[in-house]
PDB file of all heavy atoms in Angstrom:
ATOM      1  N   ASP B 437       6.445 -41.237  24.935  1.00 97.00           N
ATOM      2  CA  ASP B 437       6.966 -40.778  26.222  1.00 97.00           C
ATOM      3  C   ASP B 437       7.248 -41.973  27.121  1.00 97.00           C
ATOM      4  O   ASP B 437       8.327 -42.105  27.710  1.00 97.00           O
ATOM      5  CB  ASP B 437       5.930 -39.878  26.922  1.00 97.00           C
ATOM      6  CG  ASP B 437       5.908 -38.474  26.370  1.00 97.00           C
ATOM      7  OD1 ASP B 437       6.992 -37.856  26.346  1.00 97.00           O
ATOM      8  OD2 ASP B 437       4.828 -38.003  25.993  1.00 97.00           O
ATOM      9  N   TRP B 438       6.268 -42.864  27.220  1.00 97.00           N
ATOM     10  CA  TRP B 438       6.432 -44.028  28.096  1.00 97.00           C
ATOM     11  C   TRP B 438       7.524 -44.956  27.561  1.00 97.00           C
ATOM     12  O   TRP B 438       8.304 -45.524  28.348  1.00 97.00           O
ATOM     13  CB  TRP B 438       5.111 -44.798  28.208  1.00 97.00           C
ATOM     14  CG  TRP B 438       4.078 -44.103  29.006  1.00 97.00           C
ATOM     15  CD1 TRP B 438       2.930 -43.546  28.559  1.00 97.00           C
ATOM     16  CD2 TRP B 438       4.102 -43.896  30.428  1.00 97.00           C
ATOM     17  NE1 TRP B 438       2.220 -42.997  29.603  1.00 97.00           N
ATOM     18  CE2 TRP B 438       2.916 -43.194  30.762  1.00 97.00           C
ATOM     19  CE3 TRP B 438       4.989 -44.220  31.452  1.00 97.00           C
ATOM     20  CZ2 TRP B 438       2.605 -42.823  32.066  1.00 97.00           C
ATOM     21  CZ3 TRP B 438       4.676 -43.844  32.755  1.00 97.00           C
ATOM     22  CH2 TRP B 438       3.493 -43.157  33.046  1.00 97.00           C
ATOM     23  N   ALA B 439       7.560 -45.110  26.251  1.00 97.00           N
ATOM     24  CA  ALA B 439       8.560 -46.020  25.686  1.00 97.00           C
ATOM     25  C   ALA B 439       9.962 -45.517  25.975  1.00 97.00           C
ATOM     26  O   ALA B 439      10.861 -46.293  26.315  1.00 97.00           O
ATOM     27  CB  ALA B 439       8.348 -46.141  24.173  1.00 97.00           C
ATOM     28  N   THR B 440      10.158 -44.227  25.829  1.00 97.00           N
ATOM     29  CA  THR B 440      11.487 -43.679  26.107  1.00 97.00           C
ATOM     30  C   THR B 440      11.821 -43.836  27.582  1.00 97.00           C
ATOM     31  O   THR B 440      12.954 -44.199  27.945  1.00 97.00           O
ATOM     32  CB  THR B 440      11.538 -42.194  25.707  1.00 97.00           C
ATOM     33  OG1 THR B 440      10.933 -42.038  24.432  1.00 97.00           O
ATOM     34  CG2 THR B 440      12.966 -41.706  25.639  1.00 97.00           C
ATOM     35  N   PHE B 441      10.845 -43.606  28.440  1.00 97.00           N
ATOM     36  CA  PHE B 441      11.091 -43.751  29.865  1.00 97.00           C
ATOM     37  C   PHE B 441      11.436 -45.195  30.225  1.00 97.00           C
ATOM     38  O   PHE B 441      12.449 -45.477  30.876  1.00 97.00           O
ATOM     39  CB  PHE B 441       9.842 -43.282  30.629  1.00 97.00           C
ATOM     40  CG  PHE B 441       9.991 -43.297  32.121  1.00 97.00           C
ATOM     41  CD1 PHE B 441      11.192 -42.977  32.732  1.00 97.00           C
ATOM     42  CD2 PHE B 441       8.910 -43.621  32.937  1.00 97.00           C
ATOM     43  CE1 PHE B 441      11.327 -42.974  34.116  1.00 97.00           C
ATOM     44  CE2 PHE B 441       9.029 -43.623  34.316  1.00 97.00           C
ATOM     45  CZ  PHE B 441      10.235 -43.306  34.911  1.00 97.00           C
ATOM     46  N   ALA B 442      10.604 -46.096  29.752  1.00 97.00           N
ATOM     47  CA  ALA B 442      10.880 -47.503  30.033  1.00 97.00           C
ATOM     48  C   ALA B 442      12.213 -47.912  29.425  1.00 97.00           C
ATOM     49  O   ALA B 442      12.958 -48.718  29.984  1.00 97.00           O
ATOM     50  CB  ALA B 442       9.759 -48.373  29.480  1.00 97.00           C
ATOM     51  N   GLY B 443      12.505 -47.335  28.287  1.00 97.00           N
ATOM     52  CA  GLY B 443      13.786 -47.637  27.646  1.00 97.00           C
ATOM     53  C   GLY B 443      14.971 -47.196  28.481  1.00 97.00           C
ATOM     54  O   GLY B 443      15.974 -47.914  28.563  1.00 97.00           O
ATOM     55  N   THR B 444      14.857 -46.032  29.097  1.00 97.00           N
ATOM     56  CA  THR B 444      15.990 -45.619  29.931  1.00 97.00           C
ATOM     57  C   THR B 444      16.108 -46.495  31.165  1.00 97.00           C
ATOM     58  O   THR B 444      17.224 -46.773  31.624  1.00 97.00           O
ATOM     59  CB  THR B 444      15.876 -44.144  30.377  1.00 97.00           C
ATOM     60  OG1 THR B 444      14.627 -43.945  31.016  1.00 97.00           O
ATOM     61  CG2 THR B 444      16.025 -43.212  29.193  1.00 97.00           C
ATOM     62  N   ILE B 445      14.991 -46.936  31.689  1.00 97.00           N
ATOM     63  CA  ILE B 445      15.063 -47.885  32.804  1.00 97.00           C
ATOM     64  C   ILE B 445      15.756 -49.158  32.343  1.00 97.00           C
ATOM     65  O   ILE B 445      16.596 -49.733  33.041  1.00 97.00           O
ATOM     66  CB  ILE B 445      13.660 -48.186  33.361  1.00 97.00           C
ATOM     67  CG1 ILE B 445      13.061 -46.933  33.981  1.00 97.00           C
ATOM     68  CG2 ILE B 445      13.714 -49.309  34.387  1.00 97.00           C
ATOM     69  CD1 ILE B 445      11.658 -47.114  34.517  1.00 97.00           C
ATOM     70  N   GLY B 446      15.419 -49.557  31.144  1.00 97.00           N
ATOM     71  CA  GLY B 446      16.079 -50.730  30.585  1.00 97.00           C
ATOM     72  C   GLY B 446      17.571 -50.519  30.420  1.00 97.00           C
ATOM     73  O   GLY B 446      18.380 -51.397  30.744  1.00 97.00           O
ATOM     74  N   LEU B 447      17.950 -49.371  29.942  1.00 97.00           N
ATOM     75  CA  LEU B 447      19.372 -49.065  29.777  1.00 97.00           C
ATOM     76  C   LEU B 447      20.084 -49.085  31.116  1.00 97.00           C
ATOM     77  O   LEU B 447      21.174 -49.669  31.266  1.00 97.00           O
ATOM     78  CB  LEU B 447      19.524 -47.694  29.111  1.00 97.00           C
ATOM     79  CG  LEU B 447      20.938 -47.163  28.961  1.00 97.00           C
ATOM     80  CD1 LEU B 447      21.711 -48.031  27.999  1.00 97.00           C
ATOM     81  CD2 LEU B 447      20.917 -45.730  28.468  1.00 97.00           C
ATOM     82  N   PHE B 448      19.460 -48.475  32.085  1.00 97.00           N
ATOM     83  CA  PHE B 448      20.024 -48.439  33.432  1.00 97.00           C
ATOM     84  C   PHE B 448      20.235 -49.850  33.964  1.00 97.00           C
ATOM     85  O   PHE B 448      21.322 -50.211  34.445  1.00 97.00           O
ATOM     86  CB  PHE B 448      19.067 -47.641  34.307  1.00 97.00           C
ATOM     87  CG  PHE B 448      19.444 -47.544  35.749  1.00 97.00           C
ATOM     88  CD1 PHE B 448      20.485 -46.744  36.158  1.00 97.00           C
ATOM     89  CD2 PHE B 448      18.728 -48.253  36.716  1.00 97.00           C
ATOM     90  CE1 PHE B 448      20.820 -46.638  37.500  1.00 97.00           C
ATOM     91  CE2 PHE B 448      19.059 -48.153  38.061  1.00 97.00           C
ATOM     92  CZ  PHE B 448      20.107 -47.342  38.457  1.00 97.00           C
ATOM     93  N   LEU B 449      19.207 -50.660  33.860  1.00 97.00           N
ATOM     94  CA  LEU B 449      19.313 -52.022  34.388  1.00 97.00           C
ATOM     95  C   LEU B 449      20.316 -52.844  33.596  1.00 97.00           C
ATOM     96  O   LEU B 449      21.071 -53.647  34.162  1.00 97.00           O
ATOM     97  CB  LEU B 449      17.940 -52.692  34.378  1.00 97.00           C
ATOM     98  CG  LEU B 449      16.939 -52.135  35.372  1.00 97.00           C
ATOM     99  CD1 LEU B 449      15.572 -52.776  35.181  1.00 97.00           C
ATOM    100  CD2 LEU B 449      17.414 -52.351  36.798  1.00 97.00           C
TER     101      LEU B 449
END
Side-chain angles (χ1 to χ4, degrees):
Chain B
D437 281 306
W438 288 111
T440 315
F441 184 36
T444 54
I445 295 178
L447 175 66
F448 177 73
L449 291 174

